[in-house]
Amino acid sequence: MSTAPAAPVPMVNVQIDGVWLQFPKGTRLIDACGQAQKFIPRYCYHPKLSTPGNCRMCLVEMGMPKMGPDRQPVLGADGRPEIAWIPRAQISCAQDVSEGMAVRTDSPMVQECRKGVMEFLLINHPLDCPICDQAGECRLQEFSVEYGNSSSRFLERKVKKPKSVELGPRVTLDAERCVLCSRCIRFMKEVAKDDVLGFVDRGSFSTIACHPERTLDSNYSLNTVDICPVGALTSTDFRFKMRVWFLKETKTIDINDGLGSNITVGTRENKIYRITPRENNDVNGCWLPDSHRLNFKFIADPARLTTPQVKGQPVDWRSALSITAELLKAYPSQAIAMIASARMTNEELFLCSQIAKTLQLGDRVDILPRTGEPDGILIPADRNPNTTGARLFQVAAPQPGARLPSIADRVRSGSIKVLICLEDATKCGLTPEELAASKCTVIAIDILPNATTRLATVLLPGSGWVEKRGSMLNLNDRLQRLNRALTAPGEARDDWEILRDLLLALGGTQNPATIESLFQWMASIHPEFSGMSLSKIGDLGSPISSMAALPANAAQS
Amino acid sequence: MKIPSELLAKIDEAISHYPVSQRSASLPLLHLWQEHFGHVSNEAITWIAQKLDLQPINILELVTFYPMFRREPAGRTHIRVCRTLSCSMAGSYQLRDEIAKAAGIDIKQWQADFYGNPHGDAEKSHSPEKLTGHAVHNSGHGSPVAVSADGQYSIEFVECLASCGSAPVVMVNDCFKENVKIAEAASLLSLQRSDATLPKVKTPHPREKRVVFANIDREGWTNDIECYLKAGGYAELRKALGMKPEEIVNEVKTSGLRGRGGAGFPTGVKWGFIKHGGPKPTYLICNADESEPGTFKDRYIIHQDPHQLLEGMIISCFAVGAKLAYLYIRGEFPEGAQILERALAEARSRGFLGKNILGSGFDCEIYVHRGAGAYICGEETGLIESLEGKRAYPRIKPPYFPAVLGLYQCPTIVNNVETLCDVKHILRMGGAEYAKIGRPNNTGTRILCVSGDVQKPGYYEVEVGSLTMGELIHEVCGGLKPGRSLKAVIPGGSSAKVLRAGEKFKLKDREITLEDIPMDFDTLAACGSMAGSGGVIVMDDSRDMVETLNNINEFYAHESCGQCTPCREGSLWMKKITDRMLAGGGVSNDPKVLKNVADNIAGKTICAFGEACSWPTQSFLAKFGDEFSARSTKDTPPPMPPEYTSEELASKDHIPAIPAPRNPGRDTMAEAATR
């Protein structure tokens, strides 16, 4: 990376609806108009994909500076170039702004074009909005209202096309609703690198299809549903589940890997219906892997842990925490270890580090690393969302997970007698039998039952990632924010509150009442966060520039 | 899958013609496969994709786009009957039925089976499940093939076969038959000899000036290189190689030659766009995808004088610095492709092509690339996409101007067959001398292709502007049929705006009638139409203009590539409206809607197909509005059956598609729409 400041992009003057504005060279005209608050409707144009210019919805009236005999622009009374308007409407999606260019985004000619295109798009459309999943977020509906006709002139039979086609395991096609914008085809080819979709047939009968020997089974297939401007491609999982306008949308981040893709969680009445990517060009662009977005069913698992338990008996939180503290105090530090989790927020990991400090755990604390093959698109090798945070707060070994074998050994040998588990310990080098045989006292904070929680002396039900607030640091040291989309079930609590109360019970002195004050406490100790607050992080996160260099991590990529 | 070694050898040979991208070999491989196995099976799609290192969908996209590819076997004798305007005016609908009868195919029954109703109208079908069987997949992208029970014969209605002057025309396998009489229908089934290469002698009309067509239908003329050399062939190539490329470009600029493909763009100016010495190679493509209904000039050059074209091409390659050129010939000219292949081999063996041509140090290679029945490939960027092995979707301009970002994103010149032939003559005469032929800004000769209701339809090469429309029709073409009067003329291929007899056209200095219009680019444009590709379709007072427009609409609805919205949806909509008018279901608002639909297409599309499909509608309505009003008298439209029956909706999880059902013709429409 060069430290020299980037060369400034030259600016060009563009007249939009009579107003001269400046845009950096290379800006697409359609985007320039959008920046000037003159939104241009579009179906096929997507800033992340190639530009076929096929939907013709973004037609505008365009002009270029009138050139004099000296090949210089003729200037008007205002000193600005006079405009020679092109008689034919031009698409604004395939054109970069240029010096002296002028557009009219709402002239009678443009209105006529949009009206015409809207009508063409609708004549063979089934108009089945009442049962269409896209209804409420459909560009056909939106632009119909703004630019369409109030009645139909089409007296003919509509073209019949395939309906309810399972293009792949997760995507269903209704070809009659398709406007043939080719966004899905281009996405699969250009972004997902799996040229699986194409057009078959011709003219008005053209249809999106897969070759019969292939299916749309890429791990990015559901992105085609996101970018489909109409109800042609729908998510088989979400299909017919919920009207989108009832969904409460919460901006948060994905926790399935170290990238921390920005997402929107759609919920209604404390239930998740879908997760969609949220555009963040510094993180995930517009995309999200299917595996990640569909990994939310566990939140609504009926087996969720909802009550604190001691030796299998439900107890109240106060008792559970005081029993935990007593247990911990009853053993010397050397007999205690903690398996923290890189799925936890910075705030939670910070509290873990404070607990570790209080209990003088030394090197008897680590996280469970999760790694896999990077997919070359979005998914990195590190499948934990906050390895960076865990390492920053030193609740992970410099090589995360490196201390787990020794912790496991000491559990087996009986030298560790209390294990604080924020992960399933039986995935950290101990078999359930070994853990059971060790007679180790397990204090587990978790959301779903597993081999460790079943052996836990104290079981403290925590919250899922969509049920909590907090921050995480992705692999690129970007500080991002989780927001609460749901409330945790039953008596389950936010993990930071559990850890705070445990710390207090262990003799801690700080008692942050809110996550904001916890963040301030954290920031006061860790200068990386100084000047930040949860609200300052913003929806798109912010890079932590003062991050101290952490030792190289093999899991990072 | 057992692939015979001869076929494999041909396949590898075909791939070698595309050193830049083997994807370009998709169409050639599909042709080779279909020629050998009779159809393109699913296996073929997978095999070809694998061979070319593509995804199977890449090939499936092509098979379903190009109508010549069949996914099910046709009959051992496959008969293509031209459905388009000039042929239908000459009775091709009846001819199709007669041939079917002779072949033992019950067309009505077949339509009933195919479309699930006896009206042959897929879109009114109540039984989509019937369409999932054998017949549908047979349909390719939508031109259904009727096969006789014994598998001996099959019939397909196809769009323009580019021989409108000898309508109606039929292709029996690869053999071509012109001027078919209804009575000859049965004899067609055993047709062995093709009319395309049949020696004919036709003396030029005194008003003609033969330049490009000097050797066409000439006594004693053959299409081999000996004959061509005896007549002084390839002398201009020798001359050209002694010149500087810029000098040739300048000669062509001086000549004032305008492209003969339809748009009339100055050829020299087009060549001037090529920047020499850039990092990318330059390509030249000969557009021999002659397919504008009413136009049939290139076929004669290709069949009878291929070396003239090759010489023009090699000179042009030298002028623009292209070392590799493709000759994109429409799929329906299989004999033409063979003739050109042979001519190329001859030229290569004589050193006119290949490495170090005639010792000049200039290397040039030309390959023939066959299309497969898609009109849109005549659009230059669509042609380039097709040549790259893709669906022929025209590209947006900007940024994809062929001279900058053409074939394989390299500078590319695309010229029409006639234009490239003219280059040879410009070199022979010199640009200034050539410019003396014709009129200022309308130089040279033009091959006018006359079809429809005249006594002597056919091609006539004339000096541009030397004839008026009236002289062309009444003098050169022998006038109208006895007792008939002139009603209308489409002057430049079916997309040109129609001109009405009796109309007055205001020019700058005078007012003229249809008969007075000189046949040049500028005057025809001033009269609100265009010289286009030179296809003049004459209609006398026996013609129903709604029917005529419907025929044209069907052509464009069938040929719309479907890429951009207005043309994709509008072309079929216009056809459906005229269908309904003809069937007696026209409502009073129809002419207005029809015109507005056309207005909403023209000027809003990626390529000029938008204009091509809307200009007929706009002009027919403007000029013959009364005929359309007379067909649009109903207050309410005829009732239509529901799109899906309630039983279908209740009983099925899945409603199968109808792959591109195509109404086989308006003759099957009437009953359905008026019941």
Side-chain angles (χ1 to χ4, degrees):
Chain A
M1 218 166 80
S2 162
T3 49
V9 181
M11 304 294 278
V12 293
N13 295 291
V14 180
Q15 190 203 68
I16 298 178
D17 291 342
V19 181
W20 285 96
L21 298 162
Q22 285 199 324
F23 296 95
K25 211 170 172 209
T27 309
R28 286 287 164 100
L29 181 56
I30 194 170
D31 294 329
C33 293
Q35 287 164 28
Q37 307 301 313
K38 305 280 186 184
F39 179 79
I40 310 282
R42 80 287 303 264
Y43 292 101
C44 68
Y45 173 68
H46 192 286
K48 298 279 187 289
L49 303 174
S50 60
T51 312
N54 64 31
C55 76
R56 316 309 284 177
M57 193 63 197
C58 70
L59 287 168
V60 291
E61 202 172 343
M62 195 161 87
M64 297 305 279
K66 202 179 274 174
M67 289 295 175
D70 55 350
R71 314 206 87 189
Q72 292 298 313
V74 178
L75 299 186
D78 59 353
R80 298 285 197 175
E82 277 184 30
I83 304 299
W85 293 94
I86 304 170
R88 203 182 144 109
Q90 303 288 315
I91 48 172
S92 54
C93 64
Q95 192 106 29
D96 285 352
V97 289
S98 64
E99 181 59 41
M101 182 187 267
V103 279
R104 293 179 181 143
T105 66
D106 201 26
S107 64
M109 177 191 183
V110 177
Q111 288 170 1
E112 204 56 37
C113 288
R114 289 174 182 167
K115 239 176 137 157
V117 173
M118 272 316 301
E119 181 176 42
F120 285 134
L121 287 173
L122 290 177
I123 57 172
N124 283 307
H125 185 88
L127 302 175
D128 57 347
C129 307
I131 53 141
C132 177
D133 284 299
Q134 191 80 2
E137 52 184 17
C138 172
R139 297 285 177 274
L140 272 178
Q141 286 186 331
E142 289 167 19
F143 300 155
S144 263
V145 173
E146 277 189 73
Y147 314 108
N149 298 303
S150 53
S151 62
S152 170
R153 305 187 293 176
F154 188 70
L155 304 176
E156 328 302 330
R157 291 302 305 268
K158 291 179 191 259
V159 173
K160 281 189 188 184
K161 287 188 190 174
K163 296 178 88 73
S164 293
V165 183
E166 287 173 19
L167 276 187
R170 294 174 293 279
V171 178
T172 305
L173 166 71
D174 183 325
E176 290 184 346
R177 293 178 186 156
C178 177
V179 295
L180 301 160
C181 69
S182 76
R183 276 183 177 187
C184 52
I185 298 177
R186 285 177 280 141
F187 170 82
M188 287 310 296
K189 191 174 172 174
E190 295 163 15
V191 180
K193 310 282 181 215
D194 182 11
D195 193 5
V196 67
L197 293 178
F199 285 124
V200 295
D201 291 327
R202 195 166 82 171
S204 200
F205 303 100
S206 303
T207 304
I208 296 285
C210 279
H211 186 269
E213 286 174 15
R214 288 288 323 271
T215 56
L216 178 62
D217 54 4
S218 151
N219 194 28
Y220 289 83
S221 70
L222 281 169
N223 292 285
T224 62
V225 175
D226 301 331
I227 57 175
C228 180
V230 300
L233 296 178
T234 50
S235 159
T236 309
D237 181 67
F238 180 66
R239 204 166 147 84
F240 303 138
K241 295 271 163 51
M242 181 53 62
R243 309 310 289 164
V244 296
W245 52 84
F246 290 134
L247 292 178
K248 183 184 87 175
E249 296 198 325
T250 307
K251 294 170 180 172
T252 184
I253 59 168
D254 171 75
I255 52 128
N256 288 285
D257 64 43
L259 186 64
S261 295
N262 289 206
I263 58 171
T264 302
V265 180
T267 59
R268 187 184 187 201
E269 294 183 344
N270 219 38
K271 183 176 172 202
I272 304 184
Y273 285 89
R274 68 169 182 189
I275 290 176
T276 47
R278 184 158 59 83
E279 184 172 351
N280 186 338
N281 293 326
D282 293 317
V283 183
N284 55 310
C286 302
W287 322 122
L288 186 66
D290 296 3
S291 51
H292 292 19
R293 69 170 82 203
L294 291 175
N295 188 19
F296 64 82
K297 305 289 163 75
F298 68 93
I299 292 289
D301 194 320
R304 276 289 296 271
L305 303 172
T306 54
T307 12
Q309 293 174 28
V310 174
K311 296 189 172 167
Q313 294 306 309
V315 292
D316 60 60
W317 273 105
R318 188 183 293 270
S319 320
L321 286 162
S322 60
I323 291 168
T324 310
E326 290 316 312
L327 268 172
L328 290 167
K329 284 179 193 160
Y331 289 95
S333 319
Q334 290 78 7
I336 303 172
M338 180 195 279
I339 301 175
S341 171
R343 286 179 170 174
M344 298 164 81
T345 63
N346 291 328
E347 293 75 8
E348 292 156 7
L349 289 164
F350 166 70
L351 288 168
C352 285
S353 73
Q354 292 298 310
I355 290 170
K357 200 168 126 195
T358 307
L359 294 174
Q360 296 173 334
L361 294 183
D363 67 351
R364 293 179 305 286
V365 57
D366 205 350
I367 58 163
L368 169 62
R370 290 182 174 83
T371 53
E373 273 299 303
D375 74 348
I377 299 172
L378 285 184
I379 307 178
D382 186 356
R383 303 298 163 84
N384 270 326
N386 201 11
T387 307
T388 311
R391 298 173 75 224
L392 177 72
F393 297 109
Q394 294 176 10
V395 294
Q399 288 299 315
R403 296 175 188 146
L404 289 177
S406 106
I407 293 173
D409 281 346
R410 284 187 263 177
V411 170
R412 273 188 291 263
S413 71
S415 67
I416 284 178
K417 299 199 183 323
V418 183
L419 196 54
I420 305 169
C421 296
L422 294 124
E423 288 275 11
D424 183 354
T426 64
K427 288 182 181 149
C428 302
L430 287 163
T431 64
E433 295 72 29
E434 287 170 346
L435 186 60
S438 72
K439 305 279 189 230
C440 180
T441 300
V442 172
I443 296 160
I445 303 179
D446 218 321
I447 65 168
L448 278 167
N450 56 38
T452 304
T453 62
R454 277 186 272 276
L455 294 168
T457 306
V458 180
L459 178 54
L460 305 172
S463 292
W465 100 105
V466 280
E467 295 161 348
K468 53 179 152 189
R469 300 178 62 210
S471 64
M472 289 189 180
L473 280 163
N474 83 355
L475 285 176
N476 304 316
D477 301 341
R478 190 179 188 83
L479 185 60
Q480 305 198 98
R481 195 168 65 182
L482 276 76
N483 284 310
R484 180 182 290 128
L486 304 171
T487 52
E491 293 169 47
R493 292 177 79 188
D494 218 336
D495 298 53
W496 76 266
E497 293 176 323
I498 303 172
L499 294 166
R500 173 200 61 189
D501 290 353
L502 182 57
L503 188 59
L504 278 171
L506 289 171
T509 52
Q510 295 272 5
N511 185 7
T514 61
I515 190 136
E516 279 80 9
S517 45
L518 170 58
F519 191 96
Q520 290 318 316
W521 176 23
M522 176 174 82
S524 70
I525 294 175
H526 291 277
E528 290 84 357
F529 301 106
S530 68
M532 287 303 284
S533 68
L534 269 186
S535 62
K536 276 188 194 157
I537 291 173
D539 288 337
L540 298 178
S542 58
I544 296 295
S545 49
S546 60
M547 189 86 167
L550 295 167
N553 175 1
Q556 286 191 13
S557 70
Chain B
M1 179 98 251
K2 180 99 181 72
I3 317 279
S5 54
E6 320 89 77
L7 180 59
L8 268 180
K10 282 185 192 168
I11 283 173
D12 289 334
E13 163 71 18
I15 294 172
S16 76
H17 292 178
Y18 307 95
V20 181
S21 162
Q22 60 175 12
R23 183 172 186 167
S24 288
S26 304
L27 249 57
L29 261 55
L30 285 165
H31 273 303
L32 286 170
W33 192 286
Q34 182 160 300
E35 271 158 28
H36 189 89
F37 293 105
H39 69 284
V40 180
S41 59
N42 290 334
E43 250 177 326
I45 292 171
T46 316
W47 190 90
I48 292 172
Q50 221 155 30
K51 180 82 186 169
L52 297 177
D53 206 11
L54 298 170
Q55 291 294 323
I57 185 72
N58 303 141
I59 303 296
L60 182 65
E61 279 194 312
L62 304 182
V63 176
T64 57
F65 184 88
Y66 296 96
M68 281 184 74
F69 297 127
R70 294 184 294 269
R71 297 182 68 191
E72 294 284 329
R76 279 179 284 280
T77 302
H78 182 54
I79 301 155
R80 295 186 177 95
V81 183
C82 176
R83 190 214 63 84
T84 317
L85 187 57
S86 301
C87 283
S88 84
M89 283 165 71
S92 64
Y93 277 84
Q94 199 193 343
L95 180 63
R96 190 251 336 230
D97 292 352
E98 289 299 317
I99 298 171
K101 205 190 280 172
I105 298 168
D106 184 341
I107 280 280
K108 294 281 172 224
Q109 185 56 46
W110 170 75
Q111 282 171 351
D113 293 345
F114 184 84
Y115 293 108
N117 70 44
H119 313 295
D121 182 356
E123 288 162 55
K124 288 185 178 62
S125 163
H126 278 250
S127 313
E129 71 270 23
K130 285 195 181 158
L131 300 172
T132 54
H134 173 89
V136 163
H137 294 294
N138 191 359
S139 72
H141 98 293
S143 295
V145 175
V147 187
S148 65
D150 58 2
Q152 183 59 40
Y153 302 110
S154 55
I155 293 190
E156 184 182 5
F157 231 4
V158 297
E159 296 302 346
C160 194
L161 289 174
S163 192
C164 317
S166 53
V169 293
V170 167
M171 275 178 81
V172 180
N173 291 335
D174 283 355
C175 292
F176 169 80
K177 178 77 185 159
E178 353 179 279
N179 292 315
V180 186
K181 306 279 178 299
I182 301 288
E184 300 171 338
S187 67
L188 284 174
L189 298 176
S190 53
L191 186 75
Q192 295 296 334
R193 206 171 53 170
S194 174
D195 283 359
T197 46
L198 207 62
K200 284 181 288 261
V201 178
K202 189 183 158 196
T203 336
H205 191 276
R207 295 291 301 268
E208 284 191 65
K209 179 176 176 66
R210 293 286 186 99
V211 177
V212 173
F213 264 33
N215 301 319
I216 305 300
D217 290 339
R218 199 180 99 183
E219 191 160 11
W221 181 260
T222 53
N223 60 16
D224 50 277
I225 197 163
E226 277 78 20
C227 187
Y228 188 68
L229 287 172
K230 243 183 276 167
Y234 288 106
E236 278 71 43
L237 173 62
R238 218 174 279 277
K239 181 175 172 188
L241 292 174
M243 294 167 72
K244 285 190 187 133
E246 309 85 77
E247 289 172 348
I248 303 174
V249 176
N250 282 334
E251 287 299 322
V252 174
K253 277 185 184 159
T254 311
S255 76
L257 177 67
R258 292 171 68 168
R260 303 306 200 222
F265 192 82
T267 307
V269 177
K270 192 186 247 190
W271 288 8
F273 292 146
I274 295 288
K275 300 267 177 294
H276 286 269
K280 292 175 173 179
T282 300
Y283 298 107
L284 184 121
I285 301 172
C286 169
N287 184 347
D289 190 66
E290 172 162 74
S291 43
E292 177 71 28
T295 317
F296 48 91
K297 58 193 178 65
D298 300 344
R299 78 148 46 237
Y300 292 101
I301 300 171
I302 292 163
H303 287 99
Q304 297 190 30
D305 203 357
H307 284 286
Q308 180 188 196
L309 172 59
L310 296 191
E311 187 177 1
M313 266 186 91
I314 302 165
I315 296 170
S316 304
C317 282
F318 180 68
V320 301
K323 293 194 163 108
L324 182 56
Y326 290 98
L327 215 160
Y328 191 108
I329 182 170
R330 65 178 308 192
E332 294 90 334
F333 288 174
E335 294 171 285
Q338 280 167 12
I339 290 166
L340 286 168
E341 294 277 15
R342 199 196 65 209
L344 283 169
E346 288 172 340
R348 252 176 233 130
S349 70
R350 304 289 178 113
F352 298 127
L353 197 60
K355 295 259 174 241
N356 190 17
I357 296 172
L358 300 174
S360 65
F362 176 61
D363 303 339
C364 182
E365 197 45 87
I366 300 177
Y367 296 112
V368 172
H369 183 97
R370 288 183 67 198
Y375 167 82
I376 196 63
C377 295
E379 201 280 344
E380 60 179 359
T381 56
L383 185 153
I384 289 171
E385 284 282 302
S386 178
L387 187 48
E388 289 184 3
K390 301 171 192 162
R391 290 160 76 89
Y393 282 173
R395 296 172 174 175
I396 47 174
K397 290 176 270 188
Y400 300 107
F401 292 106
V404 188
L405 297 168
L407 183 64
Y408 311 129
Q409 304 298 317
C410 296
T412 304
I413 287 292
V414 185
N415 280 140
N416 176 261
V417 171
E418 189 187 342
T419 315
L420 289 167
C421 291
D422 278 322
V423 170
K424 169 196 152 86
H425 300 290
I426 289 168
L427 240 70
R428 177 167 56 83
M429 300 179 208
E433 201 56 34
Y434 183 91
K436 289 181 187 160
I437 309 174
R439 295 173 158 207
N441 201 33
N442 297 267
T443 59
T445 61
R446 193 84 220 258
I447 301 156
L448 298 175
C449 310
V450 188
S451 63
D453 300 322
V454 289
Q455 296 274 16
K456 289 191 281 179
Y459 59 80
Y460 299 97
E461 183 172 11
V462 298
E463 276 194 52
V464 180
S466 69
L467 281 186
T468 63
M469 186 73 83
E471 288 168 336
L472 177 70
I473 295 170
H474 298 296
E475 191 180 324
V476 178
C477 295
L480 301 165
K481 306 242 164 92
R484 290 289 166 198
S485 59
L486 184 63
K487 185 169 188 178
V489 178
I490 299 174
S494 73
S495 60
K497 288 190 174 178
V498 69
L499 303 171
R500 182 168 56 84
E503 219 181 329
K504 294 269 187 283
F505 302 99
K506 276 209 175 75
L507 301 185
K508 251 186 254 164
D509 48 350
R510 62 208 158 109
E511 197 176 68
I512 57 171
T513 63
L514 172 60
E515 274 91 345
D516 298 335
I517 300 175
M519 300 298 289
D520 64 31
F521 290 98
D522 292 339
T523 319
L524 279 165
C527 295
S529 189
M530 62 172 181
S533 53
V536 181
I537 306 171
V538 181
M539 284 161 279
D540 68 24
D541 59 345
S542 67
R543 298 297 167 188
D544 178 332
M545 288 295 131
V546 183
E547 209 172 303
T548 308
L549 179 64
N550 181 246
N551 187 290
I552 297 174
N553 282 351
E554 168 140 10
F555 175 81
Y556 289 106
H558 182 250
E559 296 300 335
S560 170
C561 77
Q563 184 186 199
C564 72
T565 310
C567 160
R568 175 181 72 229
E569 303 298 340
S571 58
L572 184 62
W573 189 4
M574 292 193 298
K575 183 222 159 212
K576 285 178 173 178
I577 294 175
T578 48
D579 271 350
R580 187 161 44 76
M581 281 183 176
L582 285 174
V587 299
S588 47
N589 207 26
D590 276 341
K592 205 177 124 202
V593 173
L594 194 54
K595 178 184 178 299
N596 190 245
V597 171
D599 293 346
N600 283 343
I601 303 171
K604 323 285 198 280
T605 52
I606 291 176
C607 76
F609 191 105
E611 283 77 15
C613 75
S614 48
W615 282 345
T617 295
Q618 288 173 334
S619 59
F620 273 76
L621 280 162
K623 312 270 170 90
F624 301 98
D626 45 346
E627 287 189 41
F628 287 84
S629 308
R631 296 267 196 179
S632 313
T633 50
K634 295 254 165 81
D635 295 329
T636 51
M640 281 191 299
E643 296 195 8
Y644 304 108
T645 64
S646 45
E647 295 79 35
E648 278 166 16
L649 285 173
S651 65
K652 288 191 181 49
D653 297 334
H654 175 80
I655 294 191
I658 301 166
R662 174 176 168 220
N663 187 326
R666 71 149 202 93
D667 60 340
T668 60
M669 269 289 304
E671 205 188 333
T674 48
R675 71 189 154 203

